[in-house]
């Protein structure tokens, strides 16, 4: 999957450069988040501004990242959800689990 | 076939790389639905998600990730209903068992088990039947 990793201060921002986050490509995101937390990163934002479609596997990859972060005293935040993506978080009630921000800057400032 | 009915049948190899293609086709097809008064973009996205979940179930669970297998999809749009059928040729899966698992949709920190929860939430009826050569997952959505 295409993604871009940016470092702002001590915050790592993972920009997903795909229109779809689904069963075909979400394993890559899960592994990348695992790698960042394994390296000791404590503040990670996943920027979903380019994603207009997410399925249960995509949600599962983010849940994996969230659990990985929680077990290491690290934090994972999400930013820039498009409306169709947001509705999948609401349907599965995951919007209550994640810290979700309108913009990547707001997410970075919240650490 | 009934007057004004649209029926589309697609066969693809049992691989997740085709999810995007099938999803796009389903969204384009929904654009052809006449007489739908709700938000068409939302309906198209929901059916794309449902079809993706159903295909992944067929590819990974029913057909056990066998890349030599074929998944068949049939989408029928009639006067008041959209019917999506996903045919597998494998051992199938226990819809009852999976339906119980789908309650994990409410268990926020489980990585798996949301697929059927999403399908059931967004469709009006979901059934899984044996066929002569495997099984079919039938998902119906009334649109007026």
């Amino acid at each position: 999957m295409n993604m871009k990793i940016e470092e702002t201060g001590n915050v790592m921002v993972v920009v997903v450069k795909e229109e779809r986050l689904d069963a075909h490509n979400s394993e890559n995101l899960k592994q990348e988040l695992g790698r960042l937390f394994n390296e000791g990163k404590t503040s990670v934002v996943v920027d979903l501004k380019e994603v207009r479609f997410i399925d249960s596997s995509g949600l599962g990859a983010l849940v994996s990242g969230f659990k990985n972060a929680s077990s290491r005293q690290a934090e994972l935040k999400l930013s820039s959800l498009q409306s169709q993506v947001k509705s999948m978080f609401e349907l599965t009630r995951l919007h209550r689990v994640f810290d979700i921000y309108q913009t990547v800057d707001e997410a970075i400032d919240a650490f | 076939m009934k007057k004004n009915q649209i029926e589309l049948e697609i066969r693809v190899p049992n691989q997740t790389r085709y999810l995007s293609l099938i999803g796009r086709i389903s969204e384009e097809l929904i654009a052809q639905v006449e007489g739908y008064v709700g938000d068409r973009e939302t309906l198209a996205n929901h059916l794309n998600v449902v079809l993706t979940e159903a295909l992944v179930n067929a590819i990974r669970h029913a057909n056990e990730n066998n890349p030599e297998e074929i998944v068949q999809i049939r989408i029928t749009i009639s006067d008041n209903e959209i019917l999506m059928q996903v045919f597998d040729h494998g051992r199938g899966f226990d819809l009852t068992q999976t339906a119980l698992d789908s309650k994990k949709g409410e268990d926020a920190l489980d990585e798996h088990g949301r697929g059927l929860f999403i399908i059931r939430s967004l469709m009006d009826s979901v059934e899984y039947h044996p066929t002569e050569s495997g099984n079919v997952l039938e998902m119906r959505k009334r649109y007026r």
Side-chain angles (χ1 to χ4, degrees):
Chain A
M1 101 180 292
N2 291 313
M3 61 186 122
K4 194 168 71 176
I5 317 287
E6 297 166 347
E7 194 163 2
T8 307
N10 64 343
V11 180
M12 304 302 294
V13 179
V14 180
V15 185
V16 178
K17 309 285 285 178
E18 297 279 351
E19 222 178 67
R20 284 175 66 102
L21 185 53
D22 64 15
H24 185 57
N25 59 14
S26 56
E27 184 65 24
N28 296 123
L29 177 63
K30 178 179 167 177
Q31 287 175 3
E32 185 58 27
L33 292 174
R35 189 184 66 81
L36 289 172
F37 292 122
N38 273 337
E39 284 178 358
K41 307 295 184 195
T42 56
S43 307
V44 176
V45 176
V46 177
D47 186 357
L48 294 169
K49 66 172 175 259
E50 294 187 24
V51 179
R52 61 172 284 272
F53 178 97
I54 192 163
D55 72 354
S56 63
S57 302
L59 294 169
L62 293 168
V63 168
S64 165
F66 179 87
K67 289 201 296 192
N68 205 331
S70 301
S71 69
R72 298 165 195 262
Q73 314 296 318
E75 278 188 274
L76 174 70
K77 299 182 190 295
L78 307 179
S79 72
S80 318
L81 274 61
Q82 293 195 29
S83 61
Q84 312 288 19
V85 171
K86 196 175 167 206
S87 76
M88 284 301 120
F89 276 82
E90 289 168 352
L91 181 69
T92 54
R93 300 181 181 83
L94 284 172
H95 64 301
R96 296 179 185 170
V97 172
F98 287 96
D99 287 335
I100 300 172
Y101 296 87
Q102 298 266 350
T103 66
V104 69
D105 288 341
E106 284 178 39
I108 292 169
D109 289 344
F111 282 105
Chain B
M1 201 163 102
K2 290 179 192 165
K3 191 182 166 194
N4 292 331
Q5 181 169 303
I6 301 173
E7 189 173 299
L8 182 70
E9 201 163 299
I10 311 163
R11 288 183 186 82
V12 290
N14 193 58
Q15 298 165 28
T16 55
R17 58 179 296 196
Y18 298 102
L19 293 175
S20 172
L21 171 69
I22 304 300
R24 279 203 307 276
I25 291 172
S26 71
E27 289 208 6
E28 287 291 327
L29 200 57
I30 301 313
Q32 306 301 319
V33 171
E34 288 180 3
Y36 181 65
V37 291
D39 182 347
R40 196 179 289 262
E41 201 179 321
T42 298
L43 178 68
N45 183 266
H46 284 176
L47 295 180
N48 186 346
V49 175
V50 165
L51 201 50
T52 298
E53 300 293 352
L55 280 168
V56 173
N57 241 339
I59 292 168
R60 292 195 170 155
H61 302 302
N63 288 340
E64 299 175 282
N65 276 319
N66 179 358
E68 305 295 315
E69 270 292 352
I70 296 288
V71 184
Q72 180 188 346
I73 303 114
R74 189 186 297 148
I75 305 173
T76 309
I77 301 177
S78 52
D79 282 346
N80 58 358
E81 180 184 81
I82 297 163
L83 167 64
M84 299 197 294
Q85 295 165 294
V86 176
F87 298 82
D88 63 68
H89 301 104
R91 290 167 51 194
F93 57 89
D94 184 346
L95 184 62
T96 319
Q97 186 61 43
T98 319
L100 287 173
D101 287 347
S102 75
K103 287 181 181 168
K104 287 175 186 167
E106 296 179 15
D107 182 353
L109 289 181
D110 206 312
E111 283 175 45
H112 304 285
R114 292 185 182 82
L116 259 148
F117 173 82
I118 289 173
I119 294 175
R120 286 181 180 281
S121 301
L122 297 179
M123 300 302 281
D124 293 316
S125 81
V126 183
E127 294 173 14
Y128 192 57
H129 303 293
T131 63
E132 280 182 11
S133 58
N135 308 279
V136 58
L137 183 65
E138 294 190 341
M139 301 159 290
R140 294 171 192 275
K141 178 86 176 173
R142 287 184 296 278
Y143 65 89
R144 64 176 170 189

